[in-house]
Amino acid sequence: MAKGQGNVVAQNRKASHDYEIVETFEAGIVLTGTEIKSVRAARINLKDGFARIRNGEAWLSNVHISPYDEGNIYNVDPVRARKLLLHRKQIDKIDSELSTNGMTFIPLRVYLKDGYAKVLMGLAKGKKNYDKRETIKRKEQNREIARQLKNYNR
């Protein structure tokens, strides 16, 4: 858990495999009453999520928040677009970065902080297949080195 993050509810594990994270931003998210109850119950899926800047506002799309069981008529569409709460300077910076080739804005994790749901968003660049293989190879080499050092120190 990074500094300042509270109770992690959901995490996008594939993000670091598929993307190179350039910069991260903490954003608030606009939710309805039943949605926040589902988030607190950890019924959220970030796997295919992404964000866009439209009309000077950041919108989170394709994030699935399951309907709250006791929500009845107050439940909303589970994959609707949700507004992200960011500062104007941050939105302008993200918008200029997204206009460059190959950049995307993805959710990395959702957590509860002081009673509010927060989203750690990442400005990311997509990895090619050979980059993914290189990352896996580097992790395996580091693991092997650590194993050898552990056996050597005995």
Side-chain angles (χ1 to χ4, degrees):
M1 227 179 330
K3 181 182 176 191
Q5 290 184 7
N7 185 12
V8 175
V9 176
Q11 194 164 355
N12 189 351
R13 297 180 190 275
K14 290 287 281 182
S16 62
H17 182 263
D18 292 339
Y19 299 98
E20 177 187 340
I21 308 301
V22 178
E23 192 172 354
T24 60
F25 298 91
E26 180 183 66
I29 184 169
V30 177
L31 298 173
T32 64
T34 56
E35 285 178 323
I36 188 63
K37 289 181 180 187
S38 291
V39 168
R40 286 188 178 130
R43 299 189 63 201
I44 182 170
N45 185 357
L46 301 174
K47 190 170 87 171
D48 297 326
F50 63 94
R52 289 189 184 145
I53 306 295
R54 285 190 306 228
N55 299 329
E57 296 177 337
W59 292 88
L60 184 64
S61 300
N62 247 14
V63 171
H64 187 277
I65 298 177
S66 297
Y68 185 59
D69 292 334
E70 287 81 33
N72 202 356
I73 61 169
Y74 299 106
N75 283 328
V76 292
D77 182 24
V79 290
R80 72 180 181 93
R82 295 166 180 92
K83 188 175 179 178
L84 293 175
L85 304 173
L86 291 162
H87 293 284
R88 169 63 43 210
K89 287 182 182 179
Q90 290 176 326
I91 291 174
D92 293 340
K93 180 178 181 177
I94 293 164
D95 196 20
S96 67
E97 289 288 332
L98 289 177
S99 63
T100 62
N101 204 8
M103 297 296 277
T104 186
F105 197 42
I106 57 171
L108 302 175
R109 67 179 57 100
V110 174
Y111 52 93
L112 299 173
K113 181 177 174 183
D114 299 328
Y116 295 102
K118 301 286 184 177
V119 183
L120 184 68
M121 298 294 294
L123 199 55
K125 188 172 187 127
K127 283 186 182 178
K128 305 285 186 206
N129 279 337
Y130 57 84
D131 290 336
K132 294 177 189 178
R133 288 192 294 267
E134 184 66 32
T135 304
I136 292 170
K137 188 190 311 181
R138 198 174 319 116
K139 283 182 184 177
E140 288 177 358
Q141 289 172 346
N142 289 340
R143 201 174 297 133
E144 183 63 32
I145 290 169
R147 191 177 302 127
Q148 292 294 332
L149 286 174
K150 182 179 177 183
N151 290 336
Y152 180 75
N153 290 333
R154 286 186 181 178

